[in-house]
Amino acid sequence: MIVRPHKIVLIKRNFFQFTSNDDIENNEDYIPDYQKFKSLNSAEQYYLADICNWDDGPIVLQWIIDSPKCDKGTACKIFWNSEPDYYFDFTAETINEYEKDIWNLLQSILKRYRADDFAKSRFKFIPKEEGYKTDWNTKLDIW
């Protein structure tokens, strides 16, 4: 995977730890520029998912998952990095409001997986090789 240096700068400047970026002047309601995001190709989206600061919230990660350029490996990386086992016992009705955005992100990923709706599968993310446990038990069909 190759990400050009000027795109690394664009990603870090606009999408990495954006809630603590000095240029934003501590505006808690700051939302990154979606038009800039749309310029990212699938490799750049994978890089962004890899360096993502989850403290910024899931907005950019949701953009990646909703993107027609999103690679299956990128979606897998986001899914497992979100620690999905925490959410396995919840439904849309039982999840806490403050955790609903991540729960919805996970459901978006699952929906696209089930529909085989990812453009490509060029980037590999194998959860077991990354140290993730993948045999969690859940009683809910949504998982």
Side-chain angles (χ1 to χ4, degrees):
M1 173 179 65
I2 297 174
V3 178
R4 296 168 294 182
H6 77 281
K7 285 292 192 152
I8 290 173
V9 170
L10 179 126
I11 290 167
K12 286 185 176 180
R13 177 124 174 94
N14 292 282
F15 305 109
F16 179 68
Q17 295 183 336
F18 57 84
T19 56
S20 61
N21 187 334
D22 292 337
D23 294 339
I24 299 166
E25 299 176 13
N26 297 321
N27 182 352
E28 293 179 15
D29 296 327
Y30 176 78
I31 296 176
D33 186 337
Y34 183 67
Q35 295 305 315
K36 288 180 183 175
F37 169 80
K38 288 185 353 182
S39 75
L40 302 179
N41 66 30
S42 61
E44 295 157 351
Q45 289 180 3
Y46 186 93
Y47 173 76
L48 175 55
D50 190 42
I51 68 164
C52 174
N53 181 348
W54 286 79
D55 290 339
D56 286 332
I59 187 166
V60 173
L61 296 170
Q62 188 69 58
W63 289 350
I64 293 171
I65 295 304
D66 293 342
S67 169
K69 300 174 194 173
C70 183
D71 186 89
K72 195 172 191 176
T74 304
C76 189
K77 176 177 214 27
I78 292 170
F79 183 85
W80 289 102
N81 284 350
S82 72
E83 300 180 10
D85 56 298
Y86 173 79
Y87 299 89
F88 284 171
D89 294 328
F90 296 103
T91 66
E93 294 77 30
T94 62
I95 191 77
N96 294 322
E97 192 62 37
Y98 69 93
E99 296 171 317
K100 202 167 234 177
D101 289 342
I102 300 294
W103 190 91
N104 288 334
L105 175 69
L106 292 169
Q107 292 302 310
S108 296
I109 295 167
L110 291 172
K111 181 180 178 184
R112 286 196 69 187
Y113 259 95
R114 289 180 183 126
D116 196 24
D117 188 34
F118 291 101
K120 296 182 180 180
S121 186
R122 293 184 350 196
F123 310 119
K124 301 297 177 212
F125 184 87
I126 303 169
K128 286 186 178 182
E129 289 181 11
E130 298 292 330
Y132 290 94
K133 181 178 177 185
T134 60
D135 59 349
W136 297 102
N137 292 323
T138 182
K139 299 173 194 143
L140 302 172
D141 290 341
I142 57 174
W143 297 104

